[in-house]
Each structure stands twice: as structure tokens, then as C-alpha cells.
């Protein structure tokens, strides 16, 4: 059985620092939900608030429709997997896994049986009597998952549990975690700063910055339709043009870049016409062709000079710059039918308007937030004066 | 050894080895050997030492069981020195347990609850009494615990007391707990502060109550520190001199006082050293028991 988790207007303050700022999100039962953001964005604080180690300064955390206020971590239907796993080094593997049952007073035979069963589930049979120090990083990971599953949580909370593993193992554990989640059908709330992890595993992602939830959506939508400049630049790479949105017709905006180019692109939410903004286009959505070739109709284009070509395996990473000094990154697929420009070549860089998005500048988002804050402070001062 | 010579040169190595050897041999091994030898020889007037009466004997050790001076305890009539000896060992155990009972919670609070920045200040406050000599601190307690002293005056304000604090071994227990409390606190604090707080939280997250967390996670981790604190406090209590001298009632003596009497009042170093070795033997047994009970290494305790 699993339960959904609902955060309504949750804020957490540490002294004068606001770690989590008015976060509202409804996580469905059985969902794999990731909080993605840079370190210090408040995502771990959210996790600790859900698990009960931190009481929210404002707002309500409810699990399965029940308000969790005043309920300690040992009485919540959640299990937390710590970043450093926090396995008990003085207990054997099976004692670790059965700890949650032990403190509930389960008899030894039942505990042992449950531990063996869970070790099979996490694909680590026969490790029951090993010491924690004998395990490898990936095995410890599995033991931590088994230990959390042993208490039959309704919600599993994971705090960057894969960050200590090497790349290969991390990728393997991603699929493994996802499979375990599907098998057990428990709600997973996953914290990560690794966009690859979040995109690959999650049903939905909440992107966070400076304590605020910037966007909640499916991985595909987060990547394709970022809500603002922060989300666009944090998730994946971009070529960025600074400039002004001139006007919008039928969803397609005309963007005047500060270099003087006129570009056409989709317009993201909240961008007002004739206001400062940035145009974002992904490196893999940009194409390069020889200068002599016929330009594509309706595409934005720029004449560039190739400054570096690096073979990355599945694609070729090309850096280019135009005569205004603007730099571009292009990912050329490793495909014989696609032209790969030689170094120092002149080329035409093109991208279609529906592949590019004009978004509110990350800084603008921050400024408007700060504006709100100052306003809040002023009104407070006013109240205080009265 | 070659490595040491290569690193520091021959001269420095010889100097270091000589000094260390001198320290161990001349200041530890030889005096002990002398006392071991003395403990097995009878106490004789100076002109008979080395004479025909100076032969090895167990008499000094048997003095402990002298049946002429006894003390009634329950239904038994126990030789007085043996009685004092058992009192010393039992009360040292009691003091060890009291310091553990007080020291563990305080160490836990200092290591895991208190804000890290204030820990240094708190330690300073705890350490300041150590700047004053043990003798003076015992005197201070002698004054505090006196029948017409400040403690009873304070109790009088609340309508309680007065209590005769310095009666039997009560004063000694209070004094010893106070004097050696920090020797329990520091090792326990040391081992607790290396415990990853996440482990406590993980246990709590899995539904453990506070006492289950202590029993299964925190105490097992703190075991080396607890063992080390117990050994230290027990040894210091059993070997304490000033505190029992000042804070015991006249009839309640400590075994170290008896040893001291043999040495300096009886001038009988032979019996005195025999008594001292019996105490040393019991301390050794205590250490090995602690090692056995706590399943720790000698190295853990020495840490």
C-alpha cells in the first residue's frame, strides 16, 4: 500500500534564512517524484520536513490525507534513505534490515525471514550474515533500500542515495531503483541535483531554486517546455541569446537579440511583450550546414566559424562563434548522413522557431521575488509602525 | 629500527633509546622489582636485613587475613584489613557506576544535543575545577559537607536537614564522584562525538523509541569510551588517598590509607608493598573483566 503526500504552502525558516519558501505540491500515491535543484535550494529540507525531522514554520504536510503536524519521525509511515545511507556498522546485514521490525517487537525468526526475503528483492541473497564493512558501495545501497522497505513504508524518501557511487553503478542502480519502485508500488520522493537521474527515473519532477518550487511537470515537459530561465539552464544545456521580446503572434514571438539579430521562437509563460528576456535553444536542436547549402525556410540562422570539434561517442560536440563574438554549442549526431564541419570552417547555424523558447530571465525571476520580499518587509514595517 | 636510524641519525636514535630505556627500567621496572622482592621478605630490624631470618615468606600477604583484628559484617567476622579492602573495591565499583550514570547522559547532551559552538564554553566550565589541586577540592567538599556547613545551611532554608553527610563512606562517595566525574565524561564524550547523527535519525525514522536507539545504536558505539571511562574511574577511586582521608568518618578507612600506614607509620615497607600488590592485582582483574564484558580491546581502552 502506498499513500500520496501533500505539501500545502510549506515554508521552513532557519533563523532569518528561509530554506523552503511557500512550496505546494501534491504527490500522488505510487508516484516516483523527484525534487531537482542545485545544492542549498532547500530540497533536502523538504525531505526532512516530510520525514518529520523538521517541523514546517508554516503550512501543512499531510500523508494519505492525514495532517502530520506533531507526529514524530518514528510514527510516520515514511522511510528515509540517507545520503550516506547511515547503516549501523556494528550490526550485521540482516540485523540492519530487520532493525525496524526489532524495535516493533517482532520475534527473531520472523525478522530473519523478512530480512532474507528483502535481500532477495534487492538482489543480494546470501549476504545476511555479512558485516556492513564487507560490502561494496552498491551492496550497501541495496541493504539501505531493503532496510527502508522492511518497515513497509507508505512513502519512501531518498536523499541523493546514488551520489557516492561511480558512474556505471549509478546508472545501474537507477534502473534498479525504478524497478523496485514499480514492484513495490510505494510512493518514492527522490532528492537529487543530478538532472540525468531525475529525468531518467521520475514520473514527475519538481525543479527547485532558492527554496521555491520553479516548475512541477513530467521529465519530458520539464526538458521541452521549461517554465523559466532557471529551469531551462539547470536542466540540460542551452544556447542563450539575451534580448527583448518584441511582439507575439499566434504563440510565436519575435525576439530582438542584443546583437541585432531578429529571431523567432515560442514564448514561455509569464514573458511580457517588449520586456527583457532570454531565448534558449538546446544544442541538439541546432543544425549546422555548409554556407553554400540552401537555407531552411522559416528557420533562424546565423553565420558562424567553427572553433572546436570534439568527438564524444554518440554525438560530436561542436563549438562555434559568430562575428559578434557570441558562442554556440551544437551537438551533431554521430550519423553518416549529417555533415560534420571541419575545424575553422565557415558554416550556417540554423534552428526552427518551435525548437527555441523565449523565457523570463533567471535573474528577472529572482528580482521579482526579491521585489515581493521587499514589499513584504515594507508592509510589515508599516504594520509595525501602526 | 633501521628506519629510525636513517631518519634521525645514529646519535639521536641512541639518545632516544637510552632515555626511554632509562625511563622504563630505572623509574618503573626496578622500583617495582624492589617492592616485589620486599613484599616476600619479613619486616626486620635494620641489622638483621640480609641475615639468617631474611628469607622469602608469604607472611606479609597473610597479614591481610590477620584473625586478631576483625570487624563484624552481617553474620561474618571478617579480618579488618580484608574488610577495608572489600569496602574499597565495592565502593570504587559503586562510584564508577554513579559517574557512568551521570556522565553518559551529560556526554550525550554535549555531543549530540547542544549547539556545537557552545560546547567549548561548556567544557571550559567543566574543566576549571581541575585547575585546582585535588587536595584543595577535597578540603572544599569537607567544608561544604560539614555538619554546620553551607550545604546544611542551604537545606535549612527549605526546612530540611541537617544531614550528617560525613558519616561512614557517604562523604567519600560524594567526593570521589565529584573528583573523577570528568574522567568518565571525556572518554564517553569522545566516542559519542564520533557517532554519525544520521544513524540516530535513521533508527528514529525506522520507528525506534529513544531508549531503543540508545540501547541498540548509541551505547554499542560508545562502548570503548564507556569501558575506558570505567577503567580510569575505578583505578583512580581504588587508588585515591586525599578524598577518603578527608571525607570519610574516622572509622571508615580506605585501603590506600592502610597501605600508607604500613609504609609511613609502621615503616614496614614489606607488608605495605604486599598490600599494594594485592590492590594492583584486583585492579588488573577489574580491567580484564571490563574488557571481557564490553568485548573491547586493550588498545580501545588506552585510547
Amino acid at each position: 500500500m502506498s499513500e500520496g503526500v501533500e505539501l500545502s504552502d510549506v515554508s521552513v525558516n532557519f533563523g532569518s534564512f528561509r530554506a523552503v519558501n511557500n512550496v505546494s505540491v501534491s504527490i500522488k500515491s505510487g508516484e516516483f517524484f523527484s525534487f531537482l535543484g542545485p545544492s542549498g535550494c532547500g530540497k533536502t529540507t523538504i525531505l526532512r520536513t516530510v520525514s518529520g525531522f523538521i517541523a514546517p514554520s508554516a503550512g501543512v504536510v499531510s500523508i494519505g490525507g492525514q495532517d502530520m503536524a506533531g507526529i514524530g519521525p518514528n510514527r510516520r509511515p515514511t522511510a528515509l534513505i540517507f545520503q550516506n545511507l547511515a547503516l549501523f556498522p556494528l550490526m550485521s546485514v540482516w540485523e540492519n534490515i530487520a532493525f525496524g521490525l526489532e524495535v516493533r517487537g517482532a520475534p527473531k525468526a520472523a525478522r530473519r525471514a523478512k530480512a532474507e526475503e528483502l535481500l532477495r528483492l534487492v538482489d543480494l541473497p546470501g549476504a545476511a550474515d555479512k558485516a556492513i564493512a564487507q560490502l561494496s558501495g552498491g551492496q550497501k545501497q541495496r541493504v539501505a533500500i531493503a532496510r527502508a522497505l522492511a518497515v513497509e513504508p507508505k512513502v519512501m524518501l531518498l536523499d541523493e542515495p546514488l551520489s557516492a557511487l561511480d558512474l556505471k553503478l549509478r546508472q545501474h542502480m537507477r534502473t534498479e531503483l525504478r524497478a523496485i519502485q514499480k514492484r513495490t508500488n510505494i510512493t518514492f520522493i527522490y532528492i537529487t541535483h543530478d538532472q540525468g537521474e531525475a529525468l531518467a527515473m521520475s514520473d514527475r519532477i519538481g525543479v527547485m531554486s532558492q527554496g521555491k518550487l520553479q516548475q512541477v511537470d513530467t521529465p519530458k515537459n520539464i526538458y521541452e517546455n521549461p517554465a523559466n530561465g532557471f529551469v531551462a539552464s539547470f536542466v540540460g544545456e542551452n544556447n542563450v541569446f539575451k534580448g527583448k521580446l518584441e511582439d507575439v503572434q499566434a504563440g510565436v514571438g519575435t525576439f530582438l537579440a542584443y546583437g541585432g539579430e531578429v529571431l523567432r521562437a515560442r514564448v514561455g509563460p509569464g514573458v511580457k511583450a517588449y520586456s527583457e528576456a532570454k531565448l534558449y535553444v538546446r544544442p541538439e536542436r541546432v543544425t549546422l550546414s555548409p554556407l553554400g547549402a540552401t537555407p531552411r525556410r522559416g528557420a533562424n540562422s546565423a553565420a558562424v566559424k567553427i572553433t572546436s570539434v570534439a568527438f564524444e561517442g554518440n554525438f560530436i560536440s561542436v563549438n562555434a562563434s559568430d562575428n559578434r563574438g557570441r558562442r554556440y554549442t551544437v551537438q551533431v549526431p554521430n550519423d553518416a548522413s549529417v555533415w560534420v564541419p571541419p575545424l575553422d570552417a565557415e558554416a550556417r547555424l540554423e534552428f526552427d522557431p518551435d525548437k527555441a523558447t523565449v523565457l523570463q530571465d533567471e535573474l528577472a525571476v529572482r528580482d521579482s521575488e526579491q521585489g515581493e520580499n521587499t514589499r513584504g518587509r515594507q508592509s510589515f514595517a508599516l504594520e509595525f509602525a501602526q | 629500527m633501521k628506519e629510525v636510524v636513517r631518519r634521525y641519525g645514529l646519535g639521536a636514535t641512541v639518545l632516544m633509546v637510552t632515555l626511554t630505556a632509562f625511563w622504563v627500567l630505572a623509574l618503573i621496572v626496578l622500583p617495582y622489582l624492589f617492592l616485589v622482592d620486599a613484599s616476600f621478605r619479613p619486616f626486620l630490624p635494620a641489622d638483621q636485613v640480609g641475615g639468617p631470618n631474611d628469607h622469602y615468606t608469604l607472611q606479609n600477604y597473610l597479614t591481610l587475613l590477620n584473625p586478631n583484628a576483625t570487624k563484624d559484617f552481617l553474620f561474618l567476622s571478617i579480618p579488618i584489613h580484608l574488610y577495608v579492602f572489600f569496602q574499597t573495591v565495592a565502593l570504587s565499583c559503586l562510584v564508577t557506576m554513579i559517574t557512568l550514570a551521570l556522565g553518559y547522559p551529560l556526554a550525550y547532551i554535549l555531543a549530540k544535543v547542544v549547539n556545537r559552538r557552545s560546547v567549548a564554553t561548556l567544557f571550559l566550565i567543566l574543566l576549571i575545577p581541575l585547575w585546582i589541586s585535588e587536595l584543595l577540592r577535597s578540603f572544599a567538599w569537607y567544608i561544604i559537607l560539614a555538619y554546620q556547613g553551607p550545604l546544611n545551611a542551604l537545606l535549612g532554608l527549605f526546612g530540611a536537614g541537617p544531614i550528617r553527610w560525613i558519616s561512614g563512606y557517604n562523604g567519600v562517595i560524594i567526593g570521589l564522584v565529584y573528583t573523577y566525574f570528568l574522567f568518565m565524561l571525556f572518554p564517553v564524550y569522545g566516542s559519542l562525538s564520533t557517532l554519525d547523527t544520521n544513524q540516530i535519525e535513521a533508527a528514529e525514522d525506522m520507528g525506534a523509541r529513544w531508549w531503543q536507539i540508545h540501547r541498540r545504536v548509541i551505547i554499542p558505539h560508545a562502548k570503548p569510551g564507556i569501558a575506558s571511562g570505567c577503567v580510569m574511574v575505578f583505578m583512580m577511586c581504588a587508588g585515591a588517598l586525599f578524598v577518603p582521608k578527608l571525607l570519610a568518618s574516622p572509622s571508615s578507612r580506605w585501603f590506600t590509607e592502610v597501605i600508607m600506614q604500613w609504609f609511613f607509620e609502621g615503616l614496614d615497607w614489606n607488608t605495605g608493598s604486599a598490600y599494594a600488590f594485592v590492590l594492583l592485582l584486583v585492579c588488573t582483574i577489574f580491567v580484564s573483566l571490563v574488557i571481557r564484558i564490553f568485548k573491547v580491546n586493550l588498545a580501545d581502552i588506552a585510547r
Side-chain angles (χ1 to χ4, degrees), chain B residues 96 99-100 103 180-188 226 229-230 233:
Chain B
T96 308
T99 51
L100 179 60
Y180 298 126
F181 175 68
L182 292 181
F183 294 91
M184 179 65 83
L185 181 74
F186 287 138
V188 177
I226 293 174
C230 284
V233 171

Side-chain angles (χ1 to χ4, degrees), chain A residues 298-345:
Chain A
N300 300 302
S301 84
V304 295
K305 191 167 185 257
I306 307 300
T307 54
S308 79
V309 179
F311 182 73
E312 302 264 1
N314 50 349
F315 64 88
I316 295 121
S317 175
V318 178
N319 286 316
S321 66
D322 62 15
N323 54 9
R324 297 181 184 89
R326 183 177 281 129
R327 291 165 195 284
Y328 301 89
T329 311
V330 183
Q331 278 183 16
V332 180
N334 185 3
D335 179 339
S337 67
V338 181
W339 180 66
V340 179
L343 195 62
D344 295 329

Side-chain angles (χ1 to χ4, degrees), chain B residues 53 63 75 125 151 172 175 205 242 254 265 276 284:
Chain B
N53 291 334
T63 311
F75 306 106
I125 294 168
L151 185 57
V172 186
D205 189 59
F242 298 131
W254 209 247
E265 283 167 39
T284 317

Side-chain angles (χ1 to χ4, degrees), chain B residues 134-154 163-166 171 174-175 242-243 246-248:
Chain B
E134 193 185 317
L135 185 61
L136 285 178
R137 281 183 292 149
S138 303
F139 262 119
W141 275 103
Y142 183 72
I143 294 164
I144 293 169
L145 298 177
Y147 190 69
Q148 291 186 323
L151 185 57
N152 275 339
L154 190 71
I163 297 167
R164 194 168 286 287
W165 293 103
I166 302 181
I174 295 171
F242 298 131
V243 176
L246 284 168
L247 298 178

Side-chain angles (χ1 to χ4, degrees), chain A residues 76-382:
Chain A
R76 291 197 184 192
T78 57
L80 175 59
I81 295 183
F82 289 79
Q83 188 163 8
N84 67 357
L85 306 179
L87 296 173
F88 306 126
L90 301 175
M91 298 182 204
S92 68
V93 166
W94 85 267
E95 285 176 315
N96 261 279
I97 295 172
F99 182 79
L101 306 172
E102 184 190 327
V103 298
R104 283 169 177 73
K108 189 173 175 183
R111 299 197 315 251
R112 175 88 198 197
K114 182 77 181 173
E116 304 264 9
E117 178 198 326
L118 285 164
L119 279 171
R120 278 194 297 277
L121 177 78
V122 297
D123 204 13
L124 206 63
D129 291 309
K130 282 192 179 164
I132 294 301
Q134 283 172 282
L135 303 179
S136 70
Q139 289 172 327
K140 282 182 190 162
Q141 200 77 53
R142 289 158 199 268
V143 173
I145 294 165
R147 187 177 70 168
L149 287 172
V151 298
E152 292 175 1
K154 307 255 192 287
V155 180
M156 184 88 109
L157 308 166
L158 303 99
D159 186 4
E160 307 207 25
L162 305 186
S163 56
L165 304 181
D166 60 68
L167 182 67
K168 261 266 142 50
L169 196 55
R170 200 155 65 219
Q171 282 171 343
H172 177 69
M173 285 308 292
R174 269 185 207 174
T175 36
E176 196 89 336
L177 265 180
R178 183 67 181 160
I180 289 170
Q181 194 260 339
K182 283 273 169 257
R183 235 175 296 160
T184 54
N185 198 33
I186 295 171
T187 312
F188 269 44
I189 302 181
Y190 192 91
I191 296 293
T192 183
H193 64 265
D194 182 333
Q195 38 148 324
E197 266 176 24
L199 293 172
M201 291 195 286
S202 321
D203 293 318
R204 282 194 304 158
I205 298 173
V207 182
M208 287 196 70
S209 167
Q210 301 187 324
K212 280 201 159 187
L213 207 47
Q214 304 290 334
Q215 187 175 5
V216 178
D217 218 324
T218 60
K220 187 168 164 58
N221 274 340
I222 293 273
Y223 192 79
E224 303 289 355
N225 305 313
N228 59 41
F230 174 79
V231 177
S233 54
F234 190 74
V235 181
E237 284 182 73
N238 280 288
N239 292 296
V240 185
F241 296 80
K242 286 184 197 171
K244 255 187 184 152
L245 182 65
E246 288 289 296
D247 81 311
V248 186
Q249 275 177 359
V252 178
T254 307
F255 184 82
L256 180 61
Y258 284 149
E261 312 99 307
V262 177
L263 304 164
R264 286 156 54 74
R266 293 181 303 162
V267 178
V271 192
K272 293 179 203 78
Y274 309 107
S275 68
E276 286 209 8
K278 278 181 181 171
L279 185 147
Y280 294 87
V281 59
R282 302 277 185 206
E284 71 274 18
R285 299 286 150 76
V286 177
T287 58
L288 290 166
S289 49
L291 271 186
T294 20
R296 234 175 26 241
R297 266 181 66 91
N300 300 302
S301 84
V304 295
K305 191 167 185 257
I306 307 300
T307 54
S308 79
V309 179
F311 182 73
E312 302 264 1
N314 50 349
F315 64 88
I316 295 121
S317 175
V318 178
N319 286 316
S321 66
D322 62 15
N323 54 9
R324 297 181 184 89
R326 183 177 281 129
R327 291 165 195 284
Y328 301 89
T329 311
V330 183
Q331 278 183 16
V332 180
N334 185 3
D335 179 339
S337 67
V338 181
W339 180 66
V340 179
L343 195 62
D344 295 329
E346 305 272 330
R348 181 186 293 112
L349 179 145
E350 288 176 318
F351 57 91
D352 293 327
D354 63 330
K355 301 281 166 58
T357 320
V358 177
L359 292 168
Q360 214 175 356
D361 188 352
E362 185 187 339
L363 277 172
V365 174
R366 208 176 295 161
D367 285 348
S368 75
E369 268 171 31
Q370 269 162 5
E372 272 169 37
N373 283 348
T374 5
R375 268 200 301 283
R377 226 171 285 142
Q378 277 163 353
S379 67
F380 174 75
L382 216 63

Side-chain angles (χ1 to χ4, degrees), chain A residues 48 51 53 73-74 76 78-80 82 84 86-91 95-96 99-100 102-104 147 151, chain B residues 195-213 215-217 219-222:
Chain A
R48 291 175 66 79
S51 61
F53 289 110
N74 53 0
R76 291 197 184 192
T78 57
L80 175 59
F82 289 79
N84 67 357
L87 296 173
F88 306 126
L90 301 175
M91 298 182 204
E95 285 176 315
N96 261 279
F99 182 79
E102 184 190 327
V103 298
R104 283 169 177 73
R147 187 177 70 168
V151 298
Chain B
L195 175 64
D196 176 13
T197 308
N198 280 352
Q199 294 208 357
I200 300 172
E201 291 188 341
E204 194 183 353
D205 189 59
M206 274 176 290
R209 266 159 292 185
W210 67 269
W211 53 271
Q212 290 171 317
I213 300 174
R215 194 174 59 84
R216 290 292 278 137
V217 178
I219 293 178
H221 179 89

